């Protein structure tokens, strides 16, 4: 189930403008959106004081949708009111703790993480981001300029969401590129273990970095956004209960800004985290194999293969001998 | 005579060229190497290296008289299961093997030069170390998943490969003379007993069916329809459990594994039916003994 946008979507082959505005805050079935070729852009609720008939959904794991039939969807809700308030509070002050710098030529913030670290740990990732932002040489030149900037001087470019996937969960980079192509995201990339076939015990974690341009007329009023990220589960370690639970942590959220006047590097980023839905963790219950089955499965598998093979061998020899006898 | 010898050699080179190219594109046609070698052996081609193709009438009856049948009877061991190794090692088989192998090697080197280790890993080396624990049509997927953390012993690897090698050798030595049929049943068996089986592999043998169906006495009604129904129904049954596992997240590993065994049984049944109702049709005329007439009677 998902919420309908308050502002009209581009007209799609199946849905016209009228149906969107009529069902302003109604729940609608999941089957719409991807099946008709339109892009499922992030849903936005305005924070302008209007009464909403129902609250935006909390973070959740949703079952598959037609556009990505093998995937489940991780749904994240972001409250950008806090982000913009923090920016407006801290722009004008020189605060390297909350405002960091990043070369605009770098396409992704986390692209070099796995060049420095072999595996992903949440603490390492936080330290990496803080170090790369704060101590970057680019920031030093900008430090004196930050205090002079006002919010109106910034050209807000994009939001960057960094999702550190737990072990046993992966994102298909081809699927994400398909969503980028359909303009659901501005850009998306996966870093870390991208081998889709490996089971959980033989794989490492990965990071998904998503760039979105959530345009809104008045950023100072704030708004909320729901993001849906298609994910897949690896085969988990064996468990006698038949299921393994995978827990998702909170993502990191950044706002990528650039000074309007100085288009040269660097870009500014605030790593201050927006409110990301309620504190309840998202859990995914993934089916797993049972170690107790090992003996019987191996035996029956080999016996079945042997029986079928012997029947084919006997049939081939019998058929061949029949031809030889007939030709004599 | 020289230009005739040159023409025969060109045919062998041409065949070897296409075979080397095909194996470069997809590895699985390597299983056809043995039947090709047997067909090119001395017992089939003969010392003249100019075997005559069999002629068929519209009823798929062989166009030869009793004298050539007598010559077929009088060549002991030629129709037997085991072709002597000495008769396999002919100029044609050696040229075929060397030329196709060299072409395969050259193409591999060329693409390694262009794409580097990525090509070599993805095209060749990956198949040596791959394990496929994720669910697929093969009966081995659950066995592989249950052992993926501790690995396999040499004995377990050998035992899992044994049915495949048994079936391949039996089919090759039984039907190599009827080359199209041999290639088709080999492919069906190879796919059915493989460690991993996905729907794309079905194309490998479906494209060969038109070559063998004219020589099958199995009628569409009802044996043909039964074969099609059994094969498709067992596949749909497997897909139902796979849908519950992958789309709905239900633990149905055991049911899915049993469905894959049922699908193997269906593949085996179809293969047995193909063999049972096939009219064995060697592509070359039997070799005539010296002094025995080999006239043909036309329709």
């Amino acid at each position: 189930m998902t919420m309908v946008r308050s502002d009209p979507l581009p007209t799609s082959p199946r849905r016209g403008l009228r149906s969107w505005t009529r069902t302003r805050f109604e729940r609608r079935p999941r089957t719409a959106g991807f099946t008709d070729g339109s892009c499922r852009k992030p849903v936005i609720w305005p924070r302008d004081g209007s009464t909403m008939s129902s609250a935006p959904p909390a973070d959740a794991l949703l079952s598959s949708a037609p556009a990505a039939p093998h995937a489940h969807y991780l749904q994240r809700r972001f409250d950008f009111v806090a982000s913009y308030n923090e920016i407006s509070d801290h722009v004008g002050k020189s605060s390297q703790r909350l405002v960091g710098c990043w070369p605009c030529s770098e396409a992704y913030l986390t692209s070099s993480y796995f060049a420095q670290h072999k595996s992903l740990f949440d603490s390492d990732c936080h330290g990496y981001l803080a170090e790369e932002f704060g101590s970057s040489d680019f920031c030093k030149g900008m430090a004196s300029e930050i205090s002079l900037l006002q919010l109106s001087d910034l050209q807000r470019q994009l939001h960057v969401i960094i999702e550190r996937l737990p072990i046993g969960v992966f994102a298909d980079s081809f699927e994400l590129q398909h969503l980028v192509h359909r303009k659901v995201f501005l850009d998306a990339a996966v870093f870390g273990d991208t081998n889709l076939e490996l089971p959980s015990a033989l794989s490492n974690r990965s990071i998904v970095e998503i760039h979105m341009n959530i345009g809104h007329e008045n950023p100072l009023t704030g708004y909320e956004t729901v993001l849906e990220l298609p994910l897949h589960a690896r085969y988990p370690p064996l468990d006698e209960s038949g299921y393994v639970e995978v827990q998702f942590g909170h993502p990191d959220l950044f706002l990528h800004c650039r000074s309007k006047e100085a288009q040269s590097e660097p870009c500014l980023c605030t790593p201050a985290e927006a409110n990301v839905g309620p504190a309840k963790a998202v859990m995914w219950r993934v089916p797993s194999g049972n170690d107790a089955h090992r003996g019987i499965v191996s035996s029956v598998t080999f016996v079945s293969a042997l029986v079928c093979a012997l029947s084919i061998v006997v049939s081939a020899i019998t058929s061949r001998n029949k031809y030889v006898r007939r030709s004599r | 005579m020289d230009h005739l010898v040159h023409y025969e050699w060109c045919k062998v080179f041409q065949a070897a060229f296409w075979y080397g190219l095909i194996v470069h594109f997809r590895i699985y046609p390597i299983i056809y190497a043995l039947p090709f070698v047997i067909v090119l052996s001395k017992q089939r081609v003969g010392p003249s290296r100019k075997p005559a193709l069999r002629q068929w009438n519209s009823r798929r009856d062989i166009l030869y008289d009793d004298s050539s049948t007598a010559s077929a009877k009088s060549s002991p061991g030629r129709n037997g299961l085991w072709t002597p190794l000495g008769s396999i090692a002919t100029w044609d088989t050696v040229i075929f093997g060397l030329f196709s192998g060299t072409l395969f090697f050259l193409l591999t080197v060329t693409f390694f030069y262009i794409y580097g280790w990525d090509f070599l890993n993805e095209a060749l080396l990956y198949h040596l170390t791959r394990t496929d624990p994720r669910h697929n049509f093969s009966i081995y997927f659950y066995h592989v998943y249950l052992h993926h953390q501790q690995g396999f012993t040499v004995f377990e690897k050998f035992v899992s490969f044994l049915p495949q090698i048994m079936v391949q050798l039996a089919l090759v030595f039984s039907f190599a003379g009827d080359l199209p049929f041999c290639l088709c049943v080999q492919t069906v068996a190879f796919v059915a007993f493989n460690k991993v089986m996905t729907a794309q592999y079905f194309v490998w043998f479906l494209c060969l069916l038109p070559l063998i169906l004219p020589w099958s006495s199995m009628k569409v009604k009802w044996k043909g329809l039964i074969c099609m129904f059994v094969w498709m129904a067992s596949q749909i049954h497997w897909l139902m459990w796979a849908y519950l596992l992958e789309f709905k997240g239900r633990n149905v590993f055991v049911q899915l594994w049993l469905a894959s065994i049922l699908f193997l049984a269906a593949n085996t049944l179809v293969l047995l039916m193909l063999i049972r109702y096939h009219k064995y049709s060697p592509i070359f005329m039997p070799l005539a003994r010296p002094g025995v007439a080999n006239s043909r009677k036309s329709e």
Side-chain angles (χ1 to χ4, degrees):
Chain A
M1 302 295 281
T2 190
M3 302 304 290
V4 176
R5 287 166 62 118
S6 61
D7 48 331
L9 275 175
T11 305
S12 65
R14 288 193 194 175
R15 283 180 173 271
L17 186 65
R18 187 177 166 188
S19 62
W20 282 106
T21 53
R22 183 172 66 238
T23 56
R24 177 171 169 144
F25 285 113
E26 294 169 358
R27 291 179 180 270
R28 62 178 170 84
R30 175 155 298 285
T31 51
F34 281 100
T35 53
D36 58 8
S38 64
C39 303
R40 185 188 291 280
K41 293 190 176 179
V43 183
I44 302 173
W45 289 267
R47 283 292 199 115
D48 56 0
S50 60
T51 306
M52 289 193 285
S53 59
S54 53
D59 288 357
L61 191 74
L62 307 173
S63 59
S64 57
H70 297 274
H72 287 68
Y73 279 79
L74 175 64
Q75 191 176 70
R76 294 291 196 191
R77 177 174 67 88
F78 300 105
D79 181 353
F80 286 103
V81 172
S83 296
Y84 278 104
N85 285 343
E86 286 187 11
I87 294 172
S88 61
D89 286 343
H90 292 99
V91 168
K93 301 176 188 174
S94 174
S95 171
Q96 290 192 352
R97 188 175 69 84
L98 290 176
V99 181
C101 302
W102 195 259
C104 291
S105 56
E106 291 273 349
Y108 305 105
L109 305 186
T110 53
S111 57
S112 57
Y113 174 83
F114 284 98
Q116 302 171 23
H117 301 82
K118 285 188 180 173
S119 45
L120 174 61
F121 295 101
D122 289 344
S123 54
D124 285 349
C125 191
H126 283 133
Y128 160 81
L129 291 171
E131 189 181 315
E132 290 297 314
F133 275 128
S135 63
S136 170
D137 290 339
F138 296 104
C139 273
K140 292 176 185 171
M142 289 290 294
S144 58
E145 298 179 31
I146 290 172
S147 60
L148 302 175
L149 287 173
Q150 302 297 321
L151 184 62
S152 56
D153 295 333
L154 292 175
Q155 177 184 337
R156 180 176 53 81
Q157 290 200 336
L158 53 81
H159 291 76
V160 179
I161 295 106
I162 294 175
E163 191 76 52
R164 295 182 304 279
L165 299 178
I167 197 156
V169 175
F170 66 94
D172 186 347
S173 55
F174 297 107
E175 201 168 45
L176 292 179
Q177 286 308 310
H178 182 66
L179 294 176
V180 170
H181 179 70
R182 299 179 75 172
K183 302 199 183 346
V184 177
F185 306 135
L186 261 185
D187 201 357
V190 183
F191 302 102
D193 195 338
T194 54
N195 188 330
L196 310 182
E197 297 285 331
L198 286 178
S200 179
L202 302 177
S203 65
N204 290 311
R205 292 177 66 181
S206 55
I207 297 174
V208 179
E209 183 170 326
I210 294 174
H211 298 179
M212 298 190 317
N213 190 5
I214 307 171
H216 199 270
E217 293 171 1
N218 187 357
L220 289 178
T221 60
Y223 51 89
E224 290 181 340
T225 291
V226 173
L227 164 72
E228 292 179 350
L229 178 63
L231 297 174
H232 303 260
R234 298 182 185 280
Y235 271 22
L238 305 177
D239 192 283
E240 61 180 15
S241 69
Y243 290 92
V244 166
E245 289 200 338
V246 177
Q247 183 172 343
F248 289 83
H250 287 293
D252 291 312
L253 178 68
F254 300 91
L255 187 62
H256 217 223
C257 304
R258 187 203 295 263
S259 170
K260 281 181 184 173
E261 291 188 2
Q263 290 293 315
S264 58
E265 295 182 287
C267 285
L268 301 178
C269 274
T270 169
E273 293 185 2
N275 293 331
V276 185
K280 189 176 72 173
V282 177
M283 302 290 289
W284 189 355
R285 203 157 163 261
V286 181
S288 72
N290 191 337
D291 200 35
H293 297 162
R294 191 179 300 163
I296 188 76
V297 165
S298 299
S299 311
V300 173
T301 299
F302 291 139
V303 167
S304 306
L306 211 56
V307 165
C308 289
L310 283 173
S311 63
I312 293 170
V313 170
V314 167
S315 174
I317 294 172
T318 307
S319 172
R320 191 71 180 88
N321 288 343
K322 200 184 295 181
Y323 168 77
V324 170
R325 279 196 298 272
R326 202 180 299 153
S327 59
R328 280 183 181 157
Chain B
M1 278 304 289
D2 285 345
H3 74 275
L4 285 175
V5 172
H6 176 72
Y7 181 63
E8 295 304 323
W9 277 57
C10 279
K11 284 184 181 174
V12 175
F13 273 116
Q14 199 183 102
F17 170 81
W18 289 114
Y19 186 59
L21 187 64
I22 286 167
V23 175
H24 165 75
F25 275 113
R26 297 304 300 257
I27 302 294
Y28 83 90
I30 197 70
I31 66 174
Y32 304 149
L34 189 54
F36 285 155
V37 164
I38 292 174
V39 162
L40 289 174
S41 68
K42 203 179 294 180
Q43 289 202 329
R44 313 257 174 194
V45 171
S48 68
R49 300 172 63 244
K50 287 174 61 179
L53 288 172
R54 276 191 185 272
Q55 303 295 309
W56 303 92
N57 61 15
S58 60
R59 292 194 308 272
R60 314 292 186 267
D61 293 325
I62 299 173
L63 292 176
Y64 60 80
D65 63 1
D66 291 338
S67 57
S68 59
T69 309
S71 73
K73 292 179 197 174
S74 61
S75 302
R78 192 176 57 84
N79 289 326
L81 279 177
W82 303 102
T83 305
L85 283 175
S87 65
I88 291 180
T90 63
W91 275 116
D92 286 337
T93 57
V94 170
I95 288 167
F96 183 87
L98 277 179
F99 189 66
S100 57
T102 303
L103 180 67
F104 176 79
F105 177 75
L106 286 175
L107 286 170
T108 302
V109 167
T110 303
F111 281 88
F112 175 71
Y113 177 75
I114 297 171
Y115 297 107
W117 280 103
D118 278 347
F119 161 74
L120 211 58
N121 288 331
E122 297 291 332
L124 297 175
L125 301 180
Y126 167 67
H127 295 287
L128 299 176
T129 55
R130 68 182 293 181
T131 55
D132 298 276
R134 290 193 75 90
H135 52 283
N136 58 86
F137 288 115
S138 171
I139 60 172
Y140 295 104
F141 89 87
Y142 197 28
H143 163 75
V144 172
Y145 175 36
L146 293 175
H147 288 81
H148 77 279
Q149 285 175 270
Q150 66 259 37
F152 297 97
T153 62
V154 174
F155 176 73
E156 281 171 335
K157 288 179 184 175
F158 171 74
V159 169
S160 60
F161 191 57
L162 187 64
Q164 177 78 276
I165 198 76
M166 275 169 51
V167 168
Q168 290 297 315
L169 288 177
L171 292 174
V172 166
F173 286 115
S174 299
F175 303 116
D178 186 351
L179 195 59
F181 181 71
C182 181
L183 301 187
C184 184
V185 292
Q186 262 195 282
T187 313
V188 174
F190 181 76
V191 170
F193 288 93
N194 204 22
K195 284 276 192 63
V196 62
M197 191 193 332
T198 57
Q200 60 176 316
Y201 296 173
F202 301 155
V203 178
W204 297 355
F205 57 79
L206 288 175
C207 63
L208 295 176
L209 276 181
L211 299 180
I212 68 164
L213 287 178
W215 276 266
S216 178
S217 58
M218 181 167 38
K219 300 276 185 264
V220 175
K221 268 172 125 177
W222 291 97
K223 291 190 175 69
L225 282 175
I226 289 171
C227 284
M228 284 190 277
F229 174 78
V230 164
W231 192 74
M232 291 171 67
S234 55
Q235 221 178 115
I236 292 169
H237 173 246
W238 186 95
L239 288 170
M240 178 194 75
W241 293 113
Y243 170 81
L244 290 174
L245 173 68
E246 192 159 349
F247 285 52
K248 297 301 180 187
R250 286 173 55 181
N251 188 325
V252 291
F253 279 107
V254 173
Q255 295 91 325
L256 188 58
W257 164 66
L258 291 173
S260 65
I261 290 180
L262 192 64
F263 187 53
L264 174 67
N267 277 301
T268 303
L269 174 71
V270 170
L271 197 51
L272 293 177
M273 296 286 277
L274 285 176
I275 293 172
R276 164 78 176 80
Y277 290 97
H278 179 72
K279 183 172 187 175
Y280 181 72
S281 314
I283 57 170
F284 293 138
M285 291 283 285
L287 295 174
R289 283 179 66 192
V292 176
N294 191 16
S295 60
R296 295 177 190 168
K297 183 171 75 176
S298 57
E299 183 177 13

